[in-house]
Amino acid sequence: SRLTWSAMHANLVKYQKENDGRFPTSHKDDPDLNRWMRHQRSRMRSVYGYVPLSDEQKSLLESIDFPMVHQGVDMRSWYEKYDQLLDFWRQNGHFVVDRMEDPSLWNWMLSQRKRYKGTNLRVPLSKNQLYLLERICFPWTSDRDEVEWQMRYDELVQFVADHGRVQVKELENPSLYEWTKYQRDRYKGNGFSELSEHQ
């Protein structure tokens, strides 16, 4: 019935809110929702014997980025890699993954950047995947210099928050002092590479 559909849709939205916008990927996550999602996909494809979804129902599902094609294993694998990246970021405070130390995570990060840029005919990132990556400020460039620049910039932002000033004294943080000095020279064009538009 319509009420049952609305109730199940509400349950799915609730599940998403409680799980970082994620969808259940297997029977183990939530048997009722997993079964219901499978049923909606059949209705979306107008499978024989299933009542097609109404325009309103289609719109409601699209608004939450509902996966119209079953992606259980792929989605679960994506979430696992994302959690691995999240752990790395929490432990190290950056996204500079060594290709030799963790080739699997390094390749996954490269794949997400290509999906974001729409290169190599890859499937674009879903709204939820984009939200999860942007929430942790995942860098869309693999340029190590750009990533390290962002790390230094974040360090400077924290310094300003702690000290209430942007001028770093050489003795209190020599490396940050040298970095800010170098950025000023780049800004003035004193024989150094110019700052990028983003920087």
Side-chain angles (χ1 to χ4, degrees):
S1 70
R2 184 189 169 98
L3 180 63
T4 304
W5 194 96
S6 298
M8 289 303 293
H9 176 264
N11 285 344
L12 182 59
V13 171
K14 182 171 179 281
Y15 181 96
Q16 275 194 296
K17 284 182 179 174
E18 292 171 353
N19 293 276
D20 263 344
R22 305 179 189 205
F23 290 97
T25 58
S26 70
H27 191 76
K28 193 167 56 178
D29 290 341
D30 188 306
D32 292 337
L33 278 178
N34 195 58
R35 193 180 306 111
W36 185 79
M37 287 174 66
R38 214 165 47 233
H39 190 73
Q40 303 319 303
R41 290 188 191 104
S42 295
R43 294 182 65 192
M44 175 63 77
R45 295 197 307 273
S46 300
V47 172
Y48 181 75
Y50 287 86
V51 178
L53 291 168
S54 68
D55 289 342
E56 182 189 359
Q57 290 170 338
K58 283 181 187 176
S59 179
L60 285 168
L61 290 176
E62 286 167 2
S63 72
I64 60 171
D65 204 22
F66 182 83
M68 297 302 181
V69 179
H70 180 60
Q71 304 167 344
V73 175
D74 290 341
M75 200 184 293
R76 189 157 57 251
S77 171
W78 194 93
Y79 288 151
E80 286 169 0
K81 277 297 178 194
Y82 173 80
D83 287 337
Q84 191 181 336
L85 176 66
L86 194 58
D87 287 342
F88 179 91
W89 175 64
R90 284 172 174 160
Q91 289 169 19
N92 300 281
H94 62 76
F95 297 97
V96 186
V97 175
D98 191 298
R99 186 177 187 176
M100 302 303 289
E101 285 184 17
D102 197 336
S104 175
L105 183 58
W106 190 92
N107 282 319
W108 183 84
M109 290 167 64
L110 179 64
S111 177
Q112 305 320 300
R113 290 182 177 118
K114 286 181 177 178
R115 291 178 66 192
Y116 176 75
K117 293 170 185 172
T119 54
N120 291 7
L121 301 176
R122 291 173 186 267
V123 178
L125 290 165
S126 70
K127 289 177 188 172
N128 175 239
Q129 290 170 340
L130 193 58
Y131 158 74
L132 288 172
L133 288 168
E134 293 203 322
R135 191 186 61 170
I136 59 173
C137 299
F138 177 72
W140 297 114
T141 174
S142 57
D143 186 331
R144 195 181 184 93
D145 289 340
E146 184 74 25
V147 173
E148 289 176 352
W149 188 94
Q150 188 64 47
M151 287 163 56
R152 278 294 184 192
Y153 175 78
D154 292 342
E155 186 182 350
L156 179 61
V157 168
Q158 187 59 53
F159 179 89
V160 172
D162 293 342
H163 298 86
R165 57 185 162 83
V166 75
Q167 288 79 20
V168 182
K169 294 175 183 174
E170 188 172 6
L171 291 175
E172 60 190 354
N173 191 327
S175 62
L176 187 59
Y177 167 81
E178 287 297 334
W179 183 82
T180 54
K181 186 169 174 288
Y182 176 55
Q183 302 315 308
R184 289 192 192 98
D185 284 334
R186 290 179 69 197
Y187 179 76
K188 293 172 186 173
N190 291 349
F192 297 96
S193 61
E194 293 183 6
L195 290 168
S196 68
E197 191 173 330
H198 164 66
Q199 293 171 338

